[in-house]
Amino acid sequence: MFDILLSIREESESPLYLRIYKQIRERITCGSILGNTRLPSVKALQLQLNISKTPIETAYQMLSAEGFVYSKPRSGYYSVNMGSACSPGIDMPSDAGTLQSPEQPMLREYAIDFHPGSVDHDMFPIRTWKRMLNLALEDYSRSIGKSGDMMGEIGLRRALADYLRSSRGVACSPEQIVIGTGISSSMDLLAKLIDGIDHVAYEEPGFKQVRDQLLSHGYRLIPIPVDSESFQIQSLEDSKAHMVYVTPSHQFPTGRVMPYVERERLLHWANKGHAYIIEDDYDGEFRYFGKPIPSLQSIDRHGRVIYIGTFSKAFTPALRMNYMVLPQSFMSKLTKMSSGLSCPSRIEQWAMQAFIEQGHWYRHIRRMRNKYRRKHDQIIECIRAMFGDKVEITGHSAGLHIQITVRTELGANDLLMLAADKGVRVYDFRQMWMKPNDAGYPRIYLGFAGLSESDMDKGIRLLKEAWSDILI
Amino acid sequence: MFDILLSIREESESPLYLRIYKQIRERITCGSILGNTRLPSVKALQLQLNISKTPIETAYQMLSAEGFVYSKPRSGYYSVNMGSACSPGIDMPSDAGTLQSPEQPMLREYAIDFHPGSVDHDMFPIRTWKRMLNLALEDYSRSIGKSGDMMGEIGLRRALADYLRSSRGVACSPEQIVIGTGISSSMDLLAKLIDGIDHVAYEEPGFKQVRDQLLSHGYRLIPIPVDSESFQIQSLEDSKAHMVYVTPSHQFPTGRVMPYVERERLLHWANKGHAYIIEDDYDGEFRYFGKPIPSLQSIDRHGRVIYIGTFSKAFTPALRMNYMVLPQSFMSKLTKMSSGLSCPSRIEQWAMQAFIEQGHWYRHIRRMRNKYRRKHDQIIECIRAMFGDKVEITGHSAGLHIQITVRTELGANDLLMLAADKGVRVYDFRQMWMKPNDAGYPRIYLGFAGLSESDMDKGIRLLKEAWSDILI
């Protein structure tokens, strides 16, 4: 057992759990707490600090979720081996997102659709957004006849650079940001910017839309297996890949959060081999438990990370606006080929700039995070109440969808059909696998952001009815 | 001399010149007037029809500009040999456009910029557009949480199909239309949709942005020389190309209008070789002299034409919205890969749908056509007054830019520098050539849409000052 002296009495506005979390994290990442060291118990820290148990438990749960510590049953928490480098003092990141288009043809009507790409339409700030659009049209009436900068309006890029720095720890100049129309436009642009790469690694399962894009650009794909437990980084290191696409904040679709130590190892791989990491932080704004892990971009010191974020999750997918933060080394090439870019409406970019500058964005994110936290807690509670141990919930505590594993002898497709008969749409995401793996119980995905609380409850209840006879 | 009986007394709301034009055109295209037949003189028709000279002259000028007739000095008008097929009864087309991004870095400030991609900002219907946006946000508030159809909102595609049918003769179902974010997104999509094509032919000079896109997708480019006089279709026929990109309504940048007979020959080439024609109708809305020639799409009977239009010229480049009409045969593949599309904001698509459905679009086009016709006439008048025969104007009578050939021993670059010293920006479009050709006097391009009448005059006057010493 290792004793740590925490000084939590300092003048600080951040909550107690966060101060505890930060101090332990810092000592682990800097090596002042060595790897695999048993940490003080909750009770011990409680006595030492003379505070309640809750903030200490929260801090440990965060550290555990983010891979700084691990727990051994009936033994307590242990520090993870961080290797050498001391992580820079990031002031806790918090957000981003990407267009997550549905499986197309909606051939039948569903009363309740757990679509993972939908967001809450009731919370959309219609009146404020109208005002921003009107303002944009008036303020920029003299610019409306010109096509503008295809990399995006510099004002919006400035506002975004500020936001990304303060909330995701992403360090970049406005010039490194390219505003795009979604993940497809970002992948198209990257394919044009990056030469000489044949093999691209890819999470298996992963975001099908991106996989299709990579294939259409002629890359050879190397699937790297990922599940709720692990991302097989060793097979990446053994591969020919010089680029990898990852969703570390909330792996799509499994919902796994990539632990800190894996992030460091991934960056190490990229540095060593002059490879690139595409970090798609598609729903990084939404974590319901503590604060997010630093983005890869924020701990990258060698310009190996391409960071992608979106307005589709935190604002609306109807806007079709996203952004990409490119390494400095891409700048000269980018400037030369900027006519091949796919850029969203200038009018909506001006509106978004005003929305951020006037503080509406930050307020909106806070409101949405609270709202989605409630929905997240509610769907989990409801599933537990309805299904008990017949269904295992994973990939939660972040993002806008959860993964459930259903104890049944039927396949995922059967579950979808039974649900559809009750008018409920759920997703099997089989197409997210390059090589679908039918071993084990079927996994089903439920997005909860787009449904009202009552529809969500009703939907789960209908799922229970639909599946009650086939659960084992 | 051939006598034709025209019946212009029929009940019809279309203007006299149009009825004359249509009847002669129909007889030529159907072969009831054979090729190389001398047509009745203006005087003869005037006597026959008992009307004034003007509508007859206008009709002949239209027929001539569009390649149905040609004139021999001191002899009169002759019909062009149309070959066999009778063209379908198209009800006169009229419009479209494409994002025409400038040469990037605007390193210096120009008081007056003849940018060919700018449009008139004073005429932008700010109040109406605000109303449409507000309406869209209200009417579709329940859809704002969903990402929607990546091919575009079906309502807008319906409205566009109607518009394209009535104004450009483009025959298509709404499902064939894909809404995109500009020419780049269209070319990216085509590269994904079309397999097995290595060689793509391309107008030389032509739209650099598209050429770059084609190159970035790995196509081998075959330049087909074009100037104000001819498009060397023979060299296309002799080439390995299975796809060609053309701007027949107003060739970019020379301003040439592709004559009807060449259009037929181009279609014949495509049919015979199962090749595709990409018809970029980027500023087809704007013809100041008579009515436009039918689009290639409208006379294509075998699904060989991909038609591209834009809102950038007729509405605003700030919207970054365009559309593509695909042949029916592309539909099944398109539906499968629709997640790789780059689609503009749904909110602005809903607004555009309302704008068209409520009739604002048609009114706007009419207003803009009148406005630009005045600017077009004025810039030509002004150049003639200032430069006399020292400058030859070509590529006019359509679109939003003109080409001038300046009698000087200096090169285009010198002309640009001299103009810049006076604070005037003009364009040499050298980058529009794959292999710049410096033979002959330098060609300079002037866009007139984005400038006020007084700035336009001032700009031409400053050009005169800048170049007065070097004209020969």
Side-chain angles (χ1 to χ4, degrees):
Chain A
M1 162 97 170
F2 178 82
D3 226 311
I4 43 175
L5 277 177
L6 297 178
S7 58
I8 56 159
R9 305 288 167 199
E10 63 188 83
E11 285 302 293
S12 166
E13 283 189 37
S14 64
L16 211 48
Y17 76 87
L18 199 57
R19 281 181 272 161
I20 300 171
Y21 158 85
K22 275 188 177 178
Q23 289 191 46
I24 300 181
R25 192 188 68 147
E26 205 180 347
R27 293 178 196 197
I28 293 173
T29 54
C30 288
S32 81
I33 298 178
L34 293 174
N36 304 314
T37 306
R38 186 168 163 210
L39 299 171
S41 68
V42 172
K43 185 78 192 164
L45 278 182
Q46 190 192 351
L47 292 171
Q48 183 196 329
L49 300 169
N50 197 21
I51 55 176
S52 82
K53 256 164 65 175
T54 318
I56 304 168
E57 280 173 346
T58 307
Y60 269 136
Q61 280 165 342
M62 282 172 66
L63 288 164
S64 167
E66 297 172 7
F68 294 102
V69 307
Y70 59 97
S71 69
K72 288 189 188 175
R74 280 174 298 278
S75 170
Y77 289 103
Y78 288 75
S79 60
V80 161
N81 191 350
M82 281 290 151
S84 55
C86 186
S87 111
I90 301 135
D91 193 26
M92 282 296 88
S94 116
D95 323 42
T98 239
L99 192 138
Q100 193 167 299
S101 176
E103 303 76 274
Q104 289 287 321
M106 272 212 176
L107 293 172
R108 54 193 293 173
E109 280 293 312
Y110 293 90
I112 293 172
D113 187 347
F114 286 95
H115 193 301
S118 296
V119 305
D120 191 316
H121 61 81
D122 281 339
M123 297 284 281
F124 184 79
I126 288 202
R127 276 178 47 206
T128 311
W129 190 243
K130 269 190 200 170
R131 223 167 54 235
M132 297 300 113
L133 285 170
N134 292 349
L135 206 67
L137 284 167
E138 274 156 32
D139 285 356
Y140 293 91
S141 64
R142 293 193 58 81
S143 302
I144 205 149
K146 301 195 174 72
S147 69
D149 190 334
M150 292 302 287
M151 293 200 261
E153 298 302 311
I154 192 66
L156 174 59
R157 289 151 79 200
R158 274 196 206 106
L160 264 180
D162 284 347
Y163 163 68
L164 290 174
R165 190 178 315 112
S166 68
S167 67
R168 299 297 284 127
V170 168
C172 67
S173 68
E175 288 71 26
Q176 285 172 264
I177 299 179
V178 179
I179 313 290
T181 56
I183 187 74
S184 295
S185 77
S186 303
M187 299 309 291
D188 281 344
L189 176 56
L190 285 181
K192 289 171 196 164
L193 277 175
I194 300 178
D195 285 332
I197 289 184
D198 295 323
H199 294 78
V200 178
Y202 182 85
E203 293 167 332
E204 167 81 345
F207 203 2
K208 178 179 183 294
Q209 190 177 336
V210 171
R211 192 176 67 216
D212 288 348
Q213 288 284 102
L214 291 168
L215 285 172
S216 80
H217 287 297
Y219 292 116
R220 299 184 62 175
L221 289 193
I222 300 172
I224 309 292
V226 59
D227 59 27
S228 358
E229 299 302 313
S230 73
F231 171 71
Q232 294 181 16
I233 198 161
Q234 183 68 49
S235 67
L236 173 64
E237 288 164 342
D238 295 343
S239 78
K240 288 183 187 171
H242 274 82
M243 187 150 78
V244 63
Y245 170 87
V246 287
T247 47
S249 294
H250 187 229
Q251 203 273 334
F252 189 86
T254 65
R256 176 174 191 258
V257 181
M258 185 184 282
Y260 189 87
V261 67
E262 243 175 49
R263 295 182 189 226
E264 283 278 5
R265 189 165 160 192
L266 197 57
L267 283 168
H268 181 70
W269 164 82
N271 290 338
K272 214 179 52 181
H274 303 285
Y276 291 108
I277 301 166
I278 304 170
E279 174 178 30
D280 189 349
D281 203 12
Y282 68 104
D283 63 3
E285 273 90 359
F286 302 113
R287 260 177 82 69
Y288 311 116
F289 188 69
K291 289 251 181 179
I293 310 190
S295 62
L296 281 166
Q297 204 276 357
S298 71
I299 47 175
D300 169 28
R301 284 168 297 274
H302 303 277
R304 310 315 310 174
V305 174
I306 295 145
Y307 177 92
I308 301 179
T310 182
F311 293 102
S312 291
K313 298 289 175 186
F315 194 59
T316 163
L319 193 67
R320 302 236 170 84
M321 196 187 288
N322 81 339
Y323 48 88
M324 184 155 61
V325 180
L326 294 166
Q328 280 285 1
S329 56
F330 285 34
M331 290 302 101
S332 68
K333 190 157 183 195
L334 183 68
T335 322
K336 270 181 224 138
M337 55 81 67
S338 63
S339 67
L341 301 177
S342 190
C343 196
S345 159
R346 297 184 80 186
I347 300 161
E348 290 182 324
Q349 288 187 63
W350 295 323
M352 184 52 82
Q353 178 188 341
F355 193 75
I356 298 175
E357 284 175 352
Q358 296 184 13
H360 302 299
W361 174 252
Y362 294 87
R363 273 192 293 280
H364 180 68
I365 294 287
R366 267 200 304 278
R367 282 175 68 228
M368 297 316 293
R369 199 179 287 134
N370 290 334
K371 179 77 169 181
Y372 290 146
R373 180 184 290 119
R374 283 197 300 275
K375 287 192 178 185
H376 165 267
D377 294 351
Q378 185 186 325
I379 195 172
I380 288 178
E381 200 178 315
C382 189
I383 291 172
R384 287 199 177 131
M386 284 290 155
F387 290 95
D389 60 357
K390 303 290 187 192
V391 150
E392 188 197 2
I393 307 169
T394 46
H396 56 94
S397 88
L400 307 180
H401 72 273
I402 56 169
Q403 171 180 292
I404 62 175
T405 307
V406 184
R407 286 175 63 95
T408 176
E409 277 166 0
L410 298 184
N413 210 32
D414 304 311
L415 295 179
L416 261 57
M417 300 292 277
L418 288 168
D421 288 342
K422 297 277 178 191
V424 179
R425 191 173 196 199
V426 292
Y427 295 81
D428 76 344
F429 282 164
R430 188 176 304 232
Q431 74 275 38
M432 301 301 163
W433 271 262
M434 267 185 102
K435 295 174 187 150
N437 168 12
D438 287 331
Y441 292 123
R443 282 170 294 257
I444 298 292
Y445 297 86
L446 308 175
F448 52 81
L451 291 175
S452 69
E453 282 85 342
S454 61
D455 277 352
M456 211 161 67
D457 271 7
K458 198 174 143 201
I460 300 295
R461 214 163 288 133
L462 287 167
L463 281 184
K464 177 67 192 293
E465 282 178 29
W467 297 344
S468 60
D469 291 343
I470 52 92
L471 296 174
I472 52 176
Chain B
M1 164 95 170
F2 178 82
D3 226 309
I4 43 175
L5 278 176
L6 297 179
S7 59
I8 56 158
R9 304 289 167 200
E10 62 188 84
E11 286 301 293
S12 167
E13 283 189 33
S14 65
L16 211 47
Y17 75 88
L18 199 57
R19 280 180 274 161
I20 301 171
Y21 159 85
K22 274 187 178 178
Q23 288 191 45
I24 300 181
R25 194 188 67 147
E26 203 179 349
R27 291 175 198 201
I28 293 175
T29 54
C30 286
S32 81
I33 299 178
L34 293 175
N36 303 314
T37 306
R38 186 167 162 210
L39 299 171
S41 69
V42 173
K43 187 76 191 164
L45 277 182
Q46 192 192 350
L47 292 171
Q48 182 196 329
L49 300 169
N50 196 22
I51 55 173
S52 83
K53 259 164 60 176
T54 318
I56 304 168
E57 281 174 345
T58 306
Y60 269 136
Q61 281 166 340
M62 280 171 67
L63 289 164
S64 166
E66 298 173 6
F68 295 102
V69 309
Y70 59 97
S71 70
K72 288 189 188 173
R74 281 174 297 277
S75 168
Y77 288 104
Y78 288 76
S79 61
V80 162
N81 190 351
M82 281 290 153
S84 56
C86 185
S87 110
I90 301 133
D91 193 25
M92 283 297 86
S94 113
D95 323 43
T98 239
L99 192 139
Q100 192 167 299
S101 177
E103 304 74 277
Q104 289 289 320
M106 274 210 176
L107 292 173
R108 54 192 294 173
E109 279 294 313
Y110 293 89
I112 294 172
D113 187 348
F114 285 95
H115 194 300
S118 296
V119 305
D120 191 317
H121 60 79
D122 282 339
M123 298 282 281
F124 183 80
I126 288 203
R127 276 178 46 206
T128 311
W129 190 242
K130 268 189 200 171
R131 221 166 56 236
M132 297 300 114
L133 284 170
N134 291 349
L135 205 68
L137 284 168
E138 275 156 30
D139 285 357
Y140 293 91
S141 64
R142 292 193 58 83
S143 303
I144 205 150
K146 299 194 175 71
S147 69
D149 191 335
M150 292 303 286
M151 293 200 260
E153 298 302 310
I154 192 66
L156 174 60
R157 289 151 78 199
R158 275 197 204 104
L160 264 179
D162 284 347
Y163 164 68
L164 289 174
R165 189 180 315 110
S166 68
S167 66
R168 300 297 283 126
V170 169
C172 67
S173 69
E175 287 72 25
Q176 285 172 264
I177 299 179
V178 180
I179 312 290
T181 56
I183 186 75
S184 295
S185 77
S186 304
M187 300 308 291
D188 281 342
L189 175 56
L190 285 180
K192 288 171 197 165
L193 278 175
I194 301 177
D195 284 332
I197 290 185
D198 295 322
H199 293 78
V200 178
Y202 183 84
E203 294 168 331
E204 167 83 343
F207 203 2
K208 179 180 184 292
Q209 190 177 337
V210 171
R211 192 176 68 216
D212 289 348
Q213 288 283 102
L214 291 169
L215 286 173
S216 81
H217 287 297
Y219 291 116
R220 298 183 64 175
L221 289 194
I222 299 172
I224 309 292
V226 60
D227 60 27
S228 356
E229 299 302 314
S230 73
F231 171 71
Q232 294 181 15
I233 199 163
Q234 183 70 49
S235 67
L236 174 64
E237 289 163 342
D238 296 343
S239 78
K240 289 183 185 172
H242 274 81
M243 185 149 80
V244 64
Y245 171 87
V246 287
T247 47
S249 295
H250 187 229
Q251 203 273 331
F252 189 83
T254 66
R256 176 174 192 259
V257 180
M258 185 183 282
Y260 189 88
V261 68
E262 241 175 49
R263 293 179 192 229
E264 284 278 6
R265 189 164 160 192
L266 197 57
L267 284 168
H268 182 70
W269 164 82
N271 289 339
K272 215 180 52 181
H274 302 286
Y276 291 107
I277 301 167
I278 304 170
E279 174 179 30
D280 189 350
D281 203 11
Y282 69 103
D283 64 3
E285 274 90 357
F286 301 113
R287 261 175 80 70
Y288 310 117
F289 188 68
K291 288 251 181 179
I293 310 191
S295 61
L296 281 167
Q297 204 275 359
S298 71
I299 48 176
D300 169 28
R301 283 168 298 273
H302 303 278
R304 311 314 311 175
V305 174
I306 295 144
Y307 178 91
I308 301 179
T310 181
F311 294 101
S312 291
K313 299 288 174 188
F315 193 59
T316 164
L319 193 66
R320 303 238 170 82
M321 197 188 287
N322 82 339
Y323 47 90
M324 183 154 64
V325 180
L326 293 166
Q328 280 285 0
S329 57
F330 285 35
M331 291 300 101
S332 69
K333 188 154 183 198
L334 183 68
T335 321
K336 272 182 222 136
M337 55 79 71
S338 64
S339 68
L341 300 177
S342 191
C343 197
S345 160
R346 298 183 79 185
I347 301 162
E348 290 182 325
Q349 288 187 64
W350 295 322
M352 183 52 82
Q353 178 188 341
F355 193 74
I356 298 175
E357 284 174 352
Q358 296 185 13
H360 302 298
W361 173 252
Y362 294 86
R363 273 193 292 281
H364 180 68
I365 294 286
R366 267 200 304 279
R367 283 174 69 228
M368 296 316 293
R369 202 180 284 132
N370 290 333
K371 179 78 170 178
Y372 290 146
R373 180 185 288 118
R374 283 198 299 276
K375 288 192 178 186
H376 165 268
D377 294 351
Q378 185 186 323
I379 196 172
I380 288 177
E381 200 178 314
C382 189
I383 291 172
R384 288 201 178 127
M386 284 290 154
F387 290 96
D389 60 357
K390 304 290 189 194
V391 150
E392 188 197 1
I393 306 170
T394 46
H396 56 95
S397 88
L400 306 181
H401 72 272
I402 56 168
Q403 170 180 291
I404 61 175
T405 308
V406 184
R407 287 175 61 95
T408 174
E409 278 167 358
L410 297 184
N413 209 33
D414 304 312
L415 294 179
L416 261 58
M417 300 293 277
L418 288 168
D421 288 342
K422 296 279 178 190
V424 179
R425 191 173 195 198
V426 293
Y427 295 83
D428 75 345
F429 282 163
R430 186 176 304 232
Q431 74 275 35
M432 302 300 164
W433 271 261
M434 264 183 104
K435 293 173 189 153
N437 168 12
D438 287 330
Y441 293 125
R443 282 170 294 258
I444 298 289
Y445 298 86
L446 307 175
F448 53 81
L451 291 175
S452 69
E453 281 86 342
S454 61
D455 277 352
M456 212 161 64
D457 272 6
K458 199 173 144 202
I460 301 295
R461 212 163 287 135
L462 286 167
L463 282 184
K464 177 68 194 294
E465 282 178 29
W467 296 344
S468 59
D469 292 344
I470 52 91
L471 297 173
I472 51 175

